[in-house]
Amino acid sequence: MKFSLSTEQRDFAESLRGLLANANTPAVVRSWGENDTASGLALLQQLAETGVTALAVPEEFDGIGAHPADLAVAFIELGRAAVPGPILETAAAVPALLSALNDQQLAKRFLPGIAEGTLASLVLEPSTPRALDADVAEPVLRVSGDTLELVRPTTQLESVDPARRLFEVESVETVAQGADVAAAAEKAYDLAVLAASAQLIGAGHAMIETATEYAKNRSQFGRVIGSFQAVKHHMSDALVAVEMATPLVYGAAISIAEGSDTIARDVSAAKVAAANAAYVASRKALQVHGAIGYTLECDLSLWLTKVRALQSAWGTASAHRARIASAL
């Protein structure tokens, strides 16, 4: 099985990385966490103009209908930049959900707007019981069993990651019901797990790069700390973990594209590996920075909290390990 990216995919990743590098995303993330969403919404619209929000939208609804690997490429870069907002729900979960329903009326109603950058959020019980950034999203949907509802936000809750603004929701209208809703929810869940895994890979790379740059400039005992073998080992361990997890993410994308019988196993394996790799990277990066890495003033803290939240978002490690075990 071939895991290397095409020239087009590499170019897409480079273009996104360039756009995000010029966007001062740490400042955007901090503002978003303080409920000042203006700069974040402008950035998300820029991403929509590059085609990110259209990737999972079928062509008949004005989307691109891209391969899931393209979605993984995009979300690695989004994770690398710690982009805030309901981008996973908008670009992955909601398009997968609506396009898989038997009745395509909701897809016709919402997906063309999503492809152009309209934000969406989703509650998918029981794994995702709260809506992310529901105050800036339209539609906000909730799936419970075989019932799909339009909902609206009520109470905002605290999150370990201030830039992940979670909301309780209340029902507005039941818009679909039946076995096809439950089946569509499974597809939405799998694509969301893939996107979350890719975000974790990107965050892992960002923390390694941040710690490496810090180690090149921080001096101790008359030498830059990056010259110490112990520091090099920390960074090597983190990089190996992230690089080893990355093929599982692309393998899961291929599994989804081919409609494999092992989709559940493959995406869960990707999430477990990516979450563990990002945790290793966060721990090693923090050790290189020392206590300053915890502080809000240090950009590393933005990825530390992001990774902590994403580890349990769209399924905990234990839930995904159980899923893998049941598939064996």
Side-chain angles (χ1 to χ4, degrees), residues 26-192:
V28 173
V29 174
R30 289 185 173 97
S31 295
W32 193 276
E34 295 169 358
N35 290 327
D36 179 2
T37 59
S39 60
L41 292 174
L43 175 59
L44 292 172
Q45 185 56 47
Q46 282 185 283
L47 290 169
E49 290 168 4
T50 69
V52 169
T53 58
L55 287 171
V57 176
E59 292 182 20
E60 60 263 36
F61 303 118
D62 301 333
I64 296 173
H67 193 286
D70 297 325
L71 194 74
V73 167
F75 272 88
I76 286 174
E77 297 307 321
L78 298 177
R80 189 190 296 268
V83 172
I87 187 67
L88 184 154
E89 291 76 4
T90 300
V94 171
L97 173 71
L98 297 184
S99 61
L101 294 174
N102 291 340
D103 186 344
Q104 295 287 278
Q105 291 306 308
L106 289 173
K108 292 176 182 177
R109 178 179 172 185
F110 293 120
L111 290 187
I114 287 173
E116 293 181 358
T118 300
L119 300 177
S121 192
L122 175 65
V123 172
L124 195 58
E125 297 178 344
S127 67
T128 309
R130 298 177 181 89
L132 182 65
D133 299 307
D135 60 329
V136 296
E138 179 62 38
V140 183
L141 301 167
R142 176 170 64 190
V143 176
S144 180
D146 64 354
T147 302
L148 174 60
E149 300 172 292
L150 281 172
V151 296
R152 60 180 168 228
T154 55
T155 307
Q156 184 174 347
L157 306 173
E158 289 188 6
S159 169
V160 66
D161 176 9
R164 284 180 61 84
R165 302 176 314 122
L166 302 174
F167 288 82
E168 298 283 6
V169 297
E170 62 182 12
S171 178
V172 173
E173 176 188 2
T174 296
V175 291
Q177 198 163 22
D180 71 312
V181 171
E186 288 185 13
K187 293 184 178 181
Y189 181 73
D190 286 332
L191 198 63

Side-chain angles (χ1 to χ4, degrees), residues 27 30 86 89 111 138 185 191 202 211 228 231 242-243 252 258 275 281 290 307 322:
R30 289 185 173 97
E89 291 76 4
L111 290 187
E138 179 62 38
L191 198 63
F228 297 134
V231 173
V242 172
E243 291 292 341
E258 294 179 350
V307 166

Side-chain angles (χ1 to χ4, degrees), residues 188-215:
Y189 181 73
D190 286 332
L191 198 63
V193 172
L194 174 69
S197 303
Q199 279 184 298
L200 285 161
I201 293 295
H205 280 297
M207 291 183 291
I208 293 168
E209 292 159 6
T210 299
T212 300
E213 191 62 31
Y214 181 80

